[in-house]
Amino acid sequence: GQQLNQSPQSMFIQEGEDVSMNCTSSSIFNTWLWYKQDPGEGPVLLIALYKAGELTSNGRLTAQFGITRKDSFLNISASIPSDVGIYFCAGHRLLQGAQKLVFGQGTRLTINP
Amino acid sequence: ETGVTQTPRHLVMGMTNKKSLKCEQHLGHNAMYWYKQSAKKPLELMFVYSLEERVENNSVPSRFSPECPNSSHLFLHLHTLQPEDSALYLCASSQESSREQYFGPGTRLTVT
């Protein structure tokens, strides 16, 4: 089946540092989504990207939809303790009439105060 | 209540038990999804309901049986599960035409 390669798998940073993570795929997607999951909770949608080349910001978060439509990255600037969690990318395809998301393995972010 | 809710939040069941997971969405959406999240694996789509009809059954074993009585409610009926079925089960909803899915908090299932 389709797979998304998300990297890095984990990051250990100091508070205030910038963070960058990315997802790549062998398949084309028409939408990229980025989610964050806190312990014991479900994923929360952060940013949705709909067009190749699109660059979108949400506060300190910036994400881009790669021009080839096979990759996306997420940057977090000036990290703070509440940024801790697992970040997931998801690529969207319409398959057999259903809206399907394929998820990456996640990037676990740990911040040292 | 707002967003997507799931009950129970935690469930421990034996392999011979029958239980059900419930999901309710208060977003006015018309598509609902069940995902399985196991440790160190990506989220796996299990079932998709769009406009109350099942449109996807992602090769899920028959011991998992979904039910969608209306656009706001989704159930996952469980029976004779295996220990490897222990996982976080997440419900999500969306507008049928939308690519953005919104998740509930999940049910942490442990099969003993």
Side-chain angles (χ1 to χ4, degrees):
Chain A
Q2 291 178 304
Q3 284 193 324
L4 295 185
N5 296 311
Q6 185 172 348
S7 65
Q9 289 190 14
S10 60
M11 302 183 73
F12 299 85
I13 64 169
Q14 298 293 324
E15 184 177 349
E17 287 186 23
D18 296 344
V19 172
S20 184
M21 59 191 79
N22 68 81
C23 270
T24 60
S25 172
S26 57
S27 303
I28 289 173
F29 289 101
N30 55 29
T31 299
W32 283 92
L33 304 167
W34 285 92
Y35 288 85
K36 181 192 177 206
Q37 187 173 24
D38 291 328
E41 299 296 331
V44 174
L45 181 62
L46 300 174
I47 291 179
L49 303 156
Y50 294 99
K51 290 168 55 175
E54 179 181 353
L55 185 71
T56 297
S57 293
N58 178 5
R60 293 176 297 104
L61 277 60
T62 301
Q64 184 156 30
F65 192 149
I67 293 176
T68 64
R69 296 169 63 193
K70 294 182 179 180
D71 63 327
S72 177
F73 73 73
L74 175 71
N75 287 342
I76 306 173
S77 63
S79 58
I80 60 177
S82 61
D83 292 333
V84 166
I86 304 177
Y87 291 80
F88 293 97
C89 61
H92 170 272
R93 296 191 74 181
L94 185 62
L95 199 62
Q96 296 174 332
Q99 308 284 357
K100 293 194 69 173
L101 294 182
V102 178
F103 283 83
Q105 306 97 314
T107 295
R108 183 181 295 274
L109 180 62
T110 302
I111 298 176
N112 299 316
Chain B
E1 292 267 28
T2 58
V4 182
T5 59
Q6 290 186 243
T7 55
R9 295 293 309 273
H10 299 272
L11 178 63
V12 179
M13 60 186 288
M15 289 190 285
T16 59
N17 290 161
K18 286 186 181 181
K19 296 286 184 183
S20 295
L21 310 185
K22 178 183 176 182
C23 176
E24 185 172 358
Q25 59 93 4
H26 309 269
L27 300 169
H29 290 162
N30 52 20
M32 298 186 78
Y33 311 78
W34 279 117
Y35 287 86
K36 176 183 179 183
Q37 186 176 34
S38 305
K40 309 209 176 189
K41 291 176 70 174
L43 272 75
E44 302 171 62
L45 179 64
M46 300 175 71
F47 300 103
V48 179
Y49 276 84
S50 181
L51 303 173
E52 298 166 39
E53 286 192 21
R54 191 194 304 181
V55 296
E56 177 76 8
N57 175 355
N58 218 22
S59 302
V60 179
S62 60
R63 57 186 183 269
F64 295 91
S65 174
E67 178 190 1
C68 187
N70 55 62
S71 60
S72 298
H73 294 86
L74 184 65
F75 295 89
L76 187 62
H77 304 299
L78 316 171
H79 67 98
T80 60
L81 294 192
Q82 305 298 311
E84 60 264 28
D85 296 324
S86 299
L88 183 68
Y89 288 85
L90 290 161
C91 171
S93 72
S94 73
Q95 280 300 114
E96 181 264 338
S97 57
S98 173
R99 305 164 193 181
E100 298 178 15
Q101 295 181 17
Y102 295 85
F103 286 83
T107 295
R108 172 68 60 189
L109 174 67
T110 303
V111 181
T112 60

